[in-house]
């Protein structure tokens, strides 16, 4: 099954969304710069049924996500503030969208104000549940190293990873509930380095920094 890396189109013209961008972890500054979100971002898959995801704005903020494909009679639509329980400030350089044929789309992004990482798994089947993680460790943050096809998130006590090309997963326990603040994640998780074979993380446990690592096999 082919997996497509996508090009983002701005409604007023063509723009390739950079996955690199200049990243910062200086907590005294915003994570990334944002301007008024007035144009829609359109992500299009290469499948013959032309799946797509559109992110549109309202009142200068990213507001609505719409997704569908050619043969569907109806599209799916969600409000970002409603799903995320807060406003999100987006920058296209800190956002990726993957579309896997007509199965699902994966949106990976960071909030430019707090730097907090998120991802959304958006199934095209309208009866399937939307996947949402608001404690994501995305590689837009230069202290979180992992391949672009790997996503990671934490529930404060464990680190979970998934290969979004095939759905295979693995995890590593911190051994305790760290009680971390997702809006200040580096106070608890300084950095991670993740490959398909290994997870490494520097974590604050009980007031002391510890380096944890685990050999893994994605299953």
């Amino acid at each position: 099954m082919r997996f497509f890396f996508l090009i983002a189109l701005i409604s007023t013209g063509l723009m390739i969304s950079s996955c690199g961008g200049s990243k910062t972890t200086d907590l005294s500054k915003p994570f990334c710069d944002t301007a008024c979100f007035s144009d829609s971002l359109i992500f299009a898959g290469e499948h013959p049924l032309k799946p797509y995801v559109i992110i549109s704005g309202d009142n200068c903020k990213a507001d609505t996500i719409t997704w569908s494909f050619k043969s569907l009679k109806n599209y799916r639509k969600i409000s970002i503030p409603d799903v995320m329980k807060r406003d999100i400030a987006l920058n296209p350089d800190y956002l990726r969208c993957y579309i896997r044929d007509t199965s699902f789309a994966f949106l990976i992004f960071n909030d430019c104000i707090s730097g907090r990482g998120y991802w959304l798994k958006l199934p095209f089947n309208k009866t399937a549940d939307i996947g949402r993680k608001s404690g994501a460790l995305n590689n837009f943050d230069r202290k979180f190293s992992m391949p672009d096809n790997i996503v990671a998130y934490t529930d404060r006590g464990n680190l979970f990873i998934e290969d979004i090309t095939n759905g295979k997963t693995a995890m590593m326990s911190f051994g305790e509930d760290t009680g971390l603040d997702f809006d200040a994640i580096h106070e608890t998780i300084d950095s991670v380095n993740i490959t398909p074979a290994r997870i490494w993380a520097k974590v604050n446990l009980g007031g002391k920094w510890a380096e944890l690592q685990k050999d893994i096999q994605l299953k």
Side-chain angles (χ1 to χ4, degrees):
M1 181 178 293
R2 297 185 63 189
F3 180 74
F4 299 105
F5 289 76
L6 306 174
I7 294 176
L9 308 178
I10 298 293
S11 62
T12 55
L14 176 65
M15 183 188 76
I16 299 179
S17 287
S18 166
C19 293
S22 58
K23 304 175 183 65
T24 178
T25 53
D26 184 349
L27 299 180
S28 67
K29 300 177 182 179
F31 183 78
C32 51
D33 295 327
T34 58
C36 180
F37 201 96
S38 57
D39 296 325
S40 295
L41 286 172
I42 304 173
F43 298 89
E46 297 181 20
H47 189 275
L49 291 179
K50 299 182 179 179
Y52 66 84
V53 176
I54 300 173
I55 304 174
S56 57
D58 181 60
N59 195 28
C60 280
K61 297 178 181 178
D63 178 74
T64 303
I65 302 173
T66 306
W67 68 104
S68 188
F69 58 85
K70 188 175 179 180
S71 65
L72 281 182
K73 294 181 180 180
N74 299 305
Y75 56 80
R76 299 194 70 174
K77 186 176 182 178
I78 57 172
S79 161
I80 296 174
D82 287 349
V83 172
M84 294 303 184
K85 311 301 182 186
R86 65 196 302 178
D87 290 331
I88 303 292
L90 292 181
N91 180 321
D93 287 343
Y94 294 79
L95 181 152
R96 286 196 301 275
C97 180
Y98 302 90
I99 296 179
R100 184 172 177 177
D101 50 59
T102 57
S103 300
F104 62 83
F106 228 107
L107 278 176
I108 301 165
F109 54 94
N110 281 64
D111 174 43
C112 281
I113 305 304
S114 66
R116 185 170 179 170
Y118 298 87
W119 54 256
L120 287 169
K121 186 175 183 179
L122 307 171
F124 288 99
N125 183 336
K126 64 181 182 180
T127 63
D129 292 336
I130 294 167
R132 176 180 69 92
K133 296 300 177 186
S134 56
L137 284 66
N138 299 331
N139 64 4
F140 295 120
D141 186 322
R142 65 183 180 184
K143 300 197 81 175
F144 296 152
S145 175
M146 66 201 75
D148 283 349
N149 63 301
I150 296 289
V151 292
Y153 69 95
T154 181
D155 63 355
R156 296 185 172 91
N158 305 281
L159 184 61
F160 302 91
I161 72 168
E162 179 179 345
D163 184 335
I164 58 178
T165 66
N166 55 32
K168 293 182 178 181
T169 63
M171 62 85 67
M172 179 178 74
S173 174
F174 298 149
E176 64 182 65
D177 185 340
T178 62
L180 68 83
D181 178 355
F182 290 120
D183 289 325
I185 196 166
H186 287 292
E187 292 180 2
T188 303
I189 302 177
D190 174 78
S191 50
V192 302
N193 189 299
I194 297 169
T195 73
R198 179 175 172 268
I199 300 174
W200 176 93
K202 184 177 179 181
V203 185
N204 191 327
L205 301 175
K208 296 182 179 180
W209 289 102
E211 295 186 14
L212 309 177
Q213 61 180 328
K214 180 181 179 182
D215 294 331
I216 60 169
Q217 184 177 358
L218 289 161
K219 297 180 179 179

